[in-house]
Amino acid sequence: MIRLPSTRLALASLLLVAWSVDSQAQCGTSVSGTVDNDHWTLPGSPYCVIGNLTLDNVRIDPGVVVQIDGDYGIDVSGGLVALGTEASPIWFTST
C-alpha cells in the first residue's frame, strides 16, 4: 500500500476532479440511448457518446466530432447520413 502525505493526496484529488470537469466541459452535446430524426451540426460539436447509442435517421454535418467517452456501442437501426469532405471530415474519436 502506498501512503501519500495529505497534501499530495489533496493535490492528486484536485487534479483528478479538474481533469474530469475539463473533459466534460469539452462536450458540446451529450448523447446516449435512442436518437431519432436528428441533425448533428458543427455548433453542437463535439457530440459526446456517454452510453450505448442507437441512431435512427440521423444526419451528421461535415466537421462534426463524435467523441466516445467509454466502452459503448453505436447501432444504426434506420438511416445515417454522414458526409464529410476532404477539408471538413467527420471525426469519430475515443477518450
Side-chain angles (χ1 to χ4, degrees):
M1 179 164 134
I2 299 173
R3 298 198 68 192
L4 296 174
S6 61
T7 53
R8 284 188 183 171
L9 183 58
L11 180 59
S13 297
L14 180 61
L15 290 175
L16 180 60
V17 168
W19 173 81
S20 175
V21 168
D22 181 53
S23 131
Q24 291 172 0
Q26 294 177 6
C27 289
T29 306
S30 296
V31 292
S32 65
T34 299
V35 177
D36 186 22
N37 294 317
D38 204 5
H39 185 184
W40 293 5
T41 61
L42 196 53
S45 184
Y47 287 80
C48 296
V49 178
I50 58 170
N52 288 322
L53 185 62
T54 300
L55 301 176
D56 186 7
N57 297 318
V58 173
R59 178 180 172 188
I60 303 175
D61 283 351
V64 167
V65 174
V66 179
Q67 179 179 312
I68 304 165
D69 290 337
D71 188 18
Y72 305 119
I74 299 175
D75 180 41
V76 178
S77 66
L80 173 64
V81 177
L83 299 173
T85 66
E86 188 172 337
S88 228
I90 296 169
W91 293 96
F92 286 81
T93 67
S94 63
T95 55

